[in-house]
């Protein structure tokens, strides 16, 4: 029986690769895609999600638009400096034909979690946690119905990528991240600590490009574009590949390892706002609210990703 997942996302090239990995995997049933403002504004993340669904030949999957700004009073921070003005720069993908659902993405999350048996839906979040937090505010009962929340976000040993202290997804909407991390939902966190261990090296991109299918070529073009910023910033052999780690974890958790610890979000720091404070060495009595992933078999990750991308159109 395939595992039911909902993907909440702000495409972004790495989000797009995560979506393709999920769509290529028969172990998963992607019951919907919900977009959120993050890497670029909501209109663009929604268009980009539609482009990726059509690229994979999956226009049948319902697409919902969610939050267009952070929950609180903060202004939306975007990341065109990494992802380009469209948020999906690199390949030239056709304007999508998919119709976005009328239901708001947050309402869909509530309705879908209430309509499915408790513990049957895994929620995979690839962007700011705005939609999940808004759904919890609207319907606290859904917390006990989510099988697992697998999140790309946060950092500890790697520290920040959008500020010296904070990772982008948490920084954009720290109040939302705080609500989610206090919710008692089983959370697995794929932070920068693990995503910076799966670099898009030239050899890995060459293998994806050599697949010879449209998705392989598009992914190679996406990642060749989005890695530029990080390669220049970190002087590394490739860029970190963030969001596909979430889907790879759902598919093959034994590629990863971590521990149950407390993760709290800084909401008032002058220099550290949006920082995920991870009590990795358990020096406090704060509740162990997160399975914090720290290491990954990077070769195994890319073997999985490349093989699955090869299954797509
Ligand atoms: O910090 C990396 C995260 O922020 C990724 O999800 C990327 O897509 C951006 O949303
Ligand atoms: Ca993302």
């Amino acid at each position: 029986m395939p595992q039911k997942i909902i993907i909440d996302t702000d495409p972004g090239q790495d989000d797009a690769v995560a979506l393709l990995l999920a769509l290529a995997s028969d172990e998963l049933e992607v019951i919907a895609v919900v977009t959120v403002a993050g890497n670029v504004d909501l209109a663009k993340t929604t268009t980009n999600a539609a482009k990726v669904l059509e690229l994979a030949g999956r226009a049948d999957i319902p697409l919902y638009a969610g939050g267009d700004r952070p929950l609180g009073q903060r202004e939306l921070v975007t990341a065109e400096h990494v992802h380009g003005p469209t948020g999906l720069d690199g390949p030239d993908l056709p304007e999508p034909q998919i119709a976005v659902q009328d239901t708001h993405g947050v309402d869909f999350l509530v309705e879908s979690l209430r309509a499915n048996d408790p513990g049957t839906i895994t929620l995979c979040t690839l962007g700011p946690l705005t939609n999940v937090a808004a759904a919890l505010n609207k319907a606290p009962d859904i917390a006990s119905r989510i099988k697992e929340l697998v999140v790309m976000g946060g950092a500890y040993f790697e520290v920040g990528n959008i500020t010296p202290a904070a990772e982008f997804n948490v920084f954009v909407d720290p109040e939302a991240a705080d609500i989610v991390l206090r919710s008692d939902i089983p959370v697995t966190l794929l932070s920068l600590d693990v995503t910076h261990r799966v670099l898009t090296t030239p050899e890995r991109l060459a293998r994806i490009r050599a697949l010879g299918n449209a998705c392989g070529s598009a992914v190679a073009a996406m990642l060749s574009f989005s890695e530029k910023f990080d390669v220049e910033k970190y002087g590394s052999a490739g860029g970190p590949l963030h969001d596909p780690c979430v889907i790879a974890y759902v598919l093959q958790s034994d590629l990863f390892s971590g521990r149950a610890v407390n993760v709290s979000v800084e909401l008032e720091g002058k220099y550290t706002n949006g920082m995920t404070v991870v009590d990795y060495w358990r020096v406090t009595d704060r509740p162990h609210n997160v399975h914090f992933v720290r290491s990954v078999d990077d070769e195994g990750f890319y073997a999985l990703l490349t093989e699955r991308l090869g299954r797509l159109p």
Side-chain angles (χ1 to χ4, degrees):
M1 190 75 172
Q3 186 169 331
K4 289 185 176 181
I5 69 170
I6 295 171
I7 300 176
D8 190 281
T9 179
D10 65 333
Q13 290 87 350
D14 60 317
D15 301 68
V17 179
L19 285 168
L20 292 171
L21 176 57
L23 297 172
S25 301
D26 299 338
E27 305 92 318
L28 306 177
E29 179 189 350
V30 180
I31 57 177
V33 173
V34 182
T35 56
V36 66
N39 284 318
V40 285
D41 68 28
L42 181 67
K44 290 177 182 172
T45 60
T46 305
T47 295
N48 293 340
K51 286 182 176 181
V52 173
L53 288 171
E54 290 187 359
L55 173 67
R58 294 304 306 274
D60 59 299
I61 293 181
L63 174 61
Y64 296 86
D68 63 358
R69 55 166 296 114
L71 277 188
Q73 300 309 311
R74 299 178 195 282
E75 290 304 310
L76 176 64
V77 172
T78 54
E80 286 87 349
H81 60 288
V82 176
H83 301 278
T86 71
L88 200 61
D89 286 41
D92 182 15
L93 298 176
E95 281 309 303
Q97 301 307 308
I98 294 178
V100 181
Q101 300 293 316
D102 293 336
T103 304
H104 190 284
V106 172
D107 295 332
F108 165 76
L109 287 176
V110 173
E111 292 164 13
S112 182
L113 286 164
R114 285 177 172 166
N116 286 271
D117 292 340
T120 56
I121 291 182
T122 296
L123 203 39
C124 298
T125 67
L126 312 179
L129 287 161
T130 309
N131 292 336
V132 179
L136 286 168
N137 287 342
K138 194 177 185 111
D141 59 288
I142 64 169
S144 63
R145 303 183 73 88
I146 298 171
K147 178 180 180 182
E148 183 179 18
L149 186 58
V150 188
V151 175
M152 192 282 133
Y156 189 56
F157 299 95
E158 175 60 36
V159 291
N161 63 354
I162 188 72
T163 75
E167 177 277 328
F168 181 79
N169 287 339
V170 175
F171 180 74
V172 168
D173 198 342
E175 282 76 16
D178 183 54
I179 288 166
V180 169
L181 292 178
R182 293 177 183 275
S183 68
D184 290 334
I185 298 171
V187 173
T188 293
L189 195 67
L190 283 300
S191 76
L192 299 182
D193 294 348
V194 69
T195 67
H196 279 247
R197 298 181 183 211
V198 286
L199 300 181
T200 58
T201 64
E203 297 76 17
R204 287 165 173 169
L205 292 189
R207 278 197 288 273
I208 291 173
R209 192 175 293 110
L211 289 170
N213 57 352
C215 288
S217 301
V219 165
M222 287 177 196
L223 298 182
S224 299
F225 180 91
S226 58
E227 72 170 9
K228 288 173 188 164
F229 176 80
D230 288 312
V231 167
E232 184 174 338
K233 172 179 174 181
Y234 297 104
S236 49
L241 189 48
H242 306 294
D243 295 336
C245 287
V246 167
I247 305 303
Y249 178 84
V250 176
L251 288 169
Q252 268 186 249
S253 60
D254 58 355
L255 288 172
F256 301 85
S257 65
R259 65 189 315 197
V261 294
N262 178 267
V263 178
S264 298
V265 182
E266 177 58 61
L267 299 176
E268 297 164 6
K270 180 177 179 182
Y271 299 110
T272 56
N273 196 58
M275 179 178 187
T276 43
V277 180
V278 181
D279 183 8
Y280 195 82
W281 305 116
R282 299 173 176 157
V283 297
T284 74
D285 59 358
R286 295 173 194 158
H288 298 167
N289 58 338
V290 168
H291 176 61
F292 184 82
V293 177
R294 189 178 178 196
S295 57
V296 56
D297 167 2
D298 60 332
E299 288 300 332
F301 168 82
Y302 274 97
L304 171 67
L305 175 62
T306 306
E307 189 276 325
R308 296 296 164 99
L309 290 174
R311 299 185 185 184
L312 293 168

